[in-house]
Amino acid sequence: SSAMASVKRYAYKLSQLDCSVLLTGESGTGKSHLARSIQQAQPRKGPFLQVDCSTIAPTLFESEMFGYVGGAFTGADPRGRAGFFEEANGGTIFLDEIGELPLPVQAKLLNVIQNKTIFRVGSTKPIQVDVRILAATNRDLKAEVAAGHFRADLYYRLSAFSLELPPLRECQEDIFFLIESLMDGIR
């Protein structure tokens, strides 16, 4: 459809820029698939990590995203562990369902975006990270900001370049192509 062709052209243009991109749209519109396509087309060739923000408990978010030093907390690996941002260094991190993050966690993520440094839990030593951020949500983040559920400064950092995926009901001519693609995967 013309709507999806427009999305694909814009996504390709964004893939060539080294910037954060916010993908929005209803559930099932293909945000994760588009994030992977952007990553594959971009000049940056480092690792690609996909993180579902809705599945990480707020109490574990910091250690999962930024890692920890040995002995930082009870049950921690004595050798410590790198977090998702360290593992994605030089590449891309895809933060799926970013609208699900609680406010305290959003502040920590904003700090990483602004300063390009992380601190492992239990450490005072900054670690520089060079990570492209792709984020996706099915929520209306503007409304979430207005309601006080999402930080305005984080929203503006993420949405400088954004792309809304149209729902399938607005692209009915694409149904045939989707069926063909799914059938190829089944055969």
Side-chain angles (χ1 to χ4, degrees), residues 13 21-22 27 29 34 44 53 71 82 109 131 134-135 162 180:
K13 288 178 183 178
V21 178
L22 178 64
S27 292
T29 54
L34 187 61
R44 181 185 283 259
C53 296
L109 180 58
V131 177
L134 303 177
S162 60
E180 285 294 314

Side-chain angles (χ1 to χ4, degrees), residues 3-185:
M4 280 309 294
S6 176
V7 165
K8 286 176 69 174
R9 277 192 302 277
Y10 190 50
Y12 179 76
K13 288 178 183 178
L14 289 176
S15 75
Q16 300 308 296
L17 302 174
D18 198 19
C19 61
S20 296
V21 178
L22 178 64
L23 305 174
T24 60
E26 296 176 8
S27 292
T29 54
K31 296 180 293 291
S32 297
H33 180 73
L34 187 61
R36 175 64 75 174
S37 296
I38 289 171
Q39 183 269 333
Q40 290 172 346
Q42 71 186 359
R44 181 185 283 259
K45 294 300 178 197
F48 178 79
L49 267 76
Q50 181 170 342
V51 179
D52 186 347
C53 296
S54 66
T55 62
I56 301 174
T59 55
L60 298 177
F61 183 84
E62 194 171 2
S63 64
E64 290 291 316
M65 296 300 274
F66 313 130
Y68 58 86
V69 295
F73 51 86
T74 304
D77 185 330
R79 297 171 302 206
R81 188 175 76 76
F84 294 135
F85 271 91
E86 256 184 284
E87 290 177 15
N89 195 21
T92 304
I93 191 166
F94 173 48
L95 303 174
D96 199 9
E97 300 303 341
I98 195 148
E100 303 294 325
L101 293 178
L103 283 169
V105 171
Q106 292 175 28
K108 292 174 183 175
L109 180 58
L110 177 66
N111 186 49
V112 172
I113 293 170
Q114 289 176 332
N115 300 320
K116 300 214 179 278
T117 58
I118 61 165
F119 291 88
R120 285 185 173 186
V121 174
S123 176
T124 57
K125 180 183 168 195
I127 299 171
Q128 291 287 320
V129 290
D130 175 26
V131 177
R132 180 182 194 179
I133 298 174
L134 303 177
T137 185
N138 61 4
R139 292 186 176 204
D140 179 353
L141 289 186
K142 282 184 186 177
E144 296 288 318
V145 167
H149 300 291
F150 200 85
R151 292 180 60 105
D153 45 4
L154 178 58
Y155 171 71
Y156 292 119
R157 286 282 184 169
L158 293 172
S159 67
F161 294 98
S162 60
L163 187 55
E164 183 169 354
L165 280 78
L168 188 57
R169 68 180 169 276
E170 293 177 10
C171 305
Q172 293 182 8
E173 56 268 40
D174 292 338
I175 293 173
F176 173 77
F177 298 109
L178 288 171
I179 292 171
E180 285 294 314
S181 176
L182 292 172
M183 291 302 289
D184 287 344

